[in-house]
Amino acid sequence: MAVVVKDFTWRQTATHVVVTVPLRGVPSSSVDILTYDTYIKANFKPFIFEVFLSHSINDSASKCTITDGLLEFNLEKSDSGVHWTTLNGDLSKEERAKARADALIKLQNRSQNERAAKQEMLQALHRKSVQQQIELETSEKKETEEIRNTERKKAMLELEEWKTHQVNPKVAPSNCSTDSHSINIWEKSNQISSEDGNQHELQSESNIHLTEDDLRPVPIPRSCGTISVKFTPRAFPTPQRESLLEEEQLWLQKQAAAQRSVGFVAKDLRPEECNPQWLKEKGDSFFKIGNYLGAISAYSHGIKLSKEMSALYVNRSAAHYALGNLQRVIEDCSMALDLMTPKVRLNEDSRAKCHVRRGAALCKLGMLKAGLADLEAASLIKPNDEKLQTDIDDVKAKLTVLEKGG
């Protein structure tokens, strides 16, 4: 059963009435408020507060705030300047029930009207946006058509200008020559014999007449251009129309969570941290605490940024060796040895480590002869290393046993 709150206070000014209600430890998120012209209510279980006002208020201009465990109604009087002698109206129980029901019905009707008005406003905004889009597309189409017509007129003018500068291809015989032999040849060339023996003289122009197709100018070559095509970047090799977005996002989230679990995610790095040297140091710190997967991730990202930094391959081979990835150990050591050229004193230690590590990986894979060759190459760099010499002797002994057994 709800507990009615009666220990509220109220005060008034010429234009407002302020009602203060204690919340009694109930959080503000659990308070439901309802106000109407002559009715205010606050429900915060297990407490309830309601007042049937003696005068009407302007509900739309009134406010309600919650501060320091107090609920404060700031109600604007409908009739400014009227002094209220009491806050509660003098109503019977039946009148209060009727007033409460009327207030709820009117509030529901007002809420429906507001919702309908809002929906109508949204529809009007949608119609306006559609109209604006149509006008924009129409103006763009008109502008494109004007540009097309302008370019067409410009091309036609250039074509007409080009035609006027062409040389007339017609050739007429010259009558200014004094060579009678040439004249006779020309006259004879204008006479042909028909099958019935009659001579017919033809006009000289008929022999050199050109059709309109022959006089038609050759169009100007089109100017070449380049069309740039941009594709939407994707993390998957398949096109987006053949992929399922939800499954892809779930897979990417799982991969990101797995990378964070090992302690390194490339996209979480700040721009100043995308430095191969910083990534090498980060990988070294992961390696020291035994986070070999994190170390491999850091070294690999550093290699993407700088593929010729041999130290990244050397240290990544150590992390792979710790995890038992022997094939990756051989690949990283081989790449590091290729990069450490020329062979100088400064890279002696790194070259010796690569030979030893690759030799050990080869021996574990059963390739003892190849592993022995790497160990002996390391002993040439470090001839005073007793532990290395002991390993070489052990490999030689195993080879001897295998050869005898074979």
Side-chain angles (χ1 to χ4, degrees):
M1 183 175 180
V3 179
V4 179
V5 177
K6 296 182 179 181
D7 56 343
F8 63 90
T9 59
W10 72 284
R11 64 183 187 277
Q12 65 177 318
T13 62
T15 58
H16 287 78
V17 174
V18 180
V19 181
T20 304
V21 181
L23 294 179
R24 298 182 179 181
V26 178
S28 59
S29 59
S30 302
V31 181
D32 293 329
I33 300 170
L34 186 147
T35 60
Y36 191 60
D37 295 344
T38 58
Y39 179 71
I40 60 175
K41 178 182 177 182
N43 185 10
F44 45 101
K45 295 181 179 180
F47 304 99
I48 187 172
F49 166 77
E50 67 174 354
V51 172
F52 296 88
L53 301 175
S54 59
H55 297 77
S56 63
I57 61 173
N58 188 357
D59 182 29
S60 59
S62 300
K63 299 179 181 178
C64 184
T65 57
I66 299 176
T67 54
D68 299 331
L70 296 176
L71 174 63
E72 185 177 276
F73 292 92
N74 193 341
L75 310 175
E76 182 178 304
K77 296 179 178 179
S78 297
D79 299 327
S80 300
V82 176
H83 183 75
W84 292 18
T85 58
T86 180
L87 182 65
N88 283 304
D90 188 10
L91 300 175
S92 63
K93 185 175 181 181
E94 291 77 7
E95 291 174 341
R96 288 188 178 187
K98 185 176 182 302
R100 186 183 298 111
D102 292 341
L104 292 176
I105 293 173
K106 291 178 180 180
L107 284 172
Q108 290 177 357
N109 293 334
R110 186 172 68 180
S111 177
Q112 292 177 357
N113 293 334
E114 290 177 352
R115 192 181 299 109
K118 184 177 180 181
Q119 186 68 22
E120 184 177 356
M121 182 183 67
L122 291 176
Q123 292 178 357
L125 290 174
H126 179 68
R127 289 193 296 269
K128 185 177 179 181
S129 64
V130 171
Q131 183 65 29
Q132 290 178 349
Q133 183 66 24
I134 293 173
E135 293 176 356
L136 178 62
E137 292 178 356
T138 304
S139 62
E140 289 179 352
K141 185 177 181 180
K142 184 178 179 181
E143 183 180 356
T144 303
E145 189 66 25
E146 291 177 355
I147 295 173
R148 186 184 294 112
N149 293 334
T150 303
E151 293 296 327
R152 186 185 295 112
K153 292 178 181 179
K154 183 179 177 182
M156 293 301 296
L157 290 175
E158 292 178 354
L159 183 59
E160 292 296 332
E161 184 179 357
W162 180 78
K163 285 182 180 180
T164 57
H165 288 81
Q166 295 298 310
V167 179
N168 190 353
K170 292 185 177 181
V171 179
S174 177
N175 296 325
C176 299
S177 175
T178 57
D179 189 354
S180 60
H181 180 68
S182 298
I183 293 174
N184 293 332
I185 294 175
W186 175 256
E187 291 177 352
K188 291 180 180 179
S189 65
N190 287 333
Q191 296 179 356
I192 60 173
S193 298
S194 61
E195 294 180 357
D196 56 359
N198 297 325
Q199 299 292 330
H200 299 279
E201 185 176 351
L202 302 178
Q203 297 293 332
S204 61
E205 287 81 4
S206 64
N207 292 329
I208 58 174
H209 178 70
L210 299 176
T211 63
E212 293 182 359
D213 293 337
D214 297 329
L215 295 175
R216 184 175 298 169
V218 179
I220 302 173
R222 295 181 180 178
S223 58
C224 60
T226 303
I227 300 176
S228 59
V229 180
K230 294 183 179 179
F231 295 96
T232 305
R234 278 180 52 78
F236 297 90
T238 57
Q240 189 171 6
R241 63 178 180 274
E242 298 178 4
S243 302
L244 300 176
L245 183 60
E246 295 182 359
E247 285 76 357
E248 289 180 354
Q249 294 298 327
L250 180 61
W251 187 85
L252 290 175
Q253 291 173 4
K254 290 182 179 179
Q255 295 302 310
Q259 290 179 356
R260 289 190 178 90
S261 66
V262 300
F264 179 84
V265 181
K267 67 178 182 180
D268 293 341
L269 297 179
R270 298 187 298 271
E272 60 271 14
E273 293 178 344
C274 291
N275 184 337
Q277 185 61 35
W278 182 90
L279 291 167
K280 175 184 173 298
E281 295 173 358
K282 186 72 172 178
D284 294 344
S285 64
F286 285 151
F287 187 87
K288 290 178 182 178
I289 63 175
N291 186 358
Y292 302 120
L293 290 176
I296 292 172
S297 184
Y299 294 140
S300 298
H301 189 61
I303 290 172
K304 289 182 181 179
L305 300 176
S306 178
K307 295 184 178 181
E308 297 183 356
M309 190 171 177
S310 60
L312 293 170
Y313 292 97
V314 175
N315 292 5
R316 190 173 71 172
S317 68
H320 278 307
Y321 190 85
L323 292 175
N325 301 329
L326 301 180
Q327 190 63 38
R328 295 295 180 87
V329 173
I330 297 171
E331 293 174 359
D332 283 346
C333 289
S334 300
M335 181 61 71
L337 290 171
D338 291 339
L339 292 174
M340 286 187 289
T341 53
K343 299 176 182 180
V344 295
R345 186 177 296 274
L346 189 62
N347 58 24
E348 281 184 352
D349 291 339
S350 297
R351 285 190 288 116
K353 290 179 181 178
C354 285
H355 281 299
V356 171
R357 202 166 290 145
R358 187 169 68 177
L362 289 170
C363 291
K364 286 188 176 182
L365 290 174
M367 294 178 279
L368 297 179
K369 290 184 179 180
L372 179 60
D374 267 316
L375 295 176
E376 289 177 344
S379 67
L380 294 176
I381 301 172
K382 298 290 184 180
N384 298 325
D385 192 335
E386 297 180 356
K387 186 177 183 303
L388 177 58
Q389 191 61 42
T390 303
D391 293 337
I392 292 173
D393 294 338
D394 292 342
V395 174
K396 287 181 178 180
K398 289 181 181 180
L399 279 173
T400 303
V401 172
L402 291 175
E403 289 175 356
K404 289 181 179 180

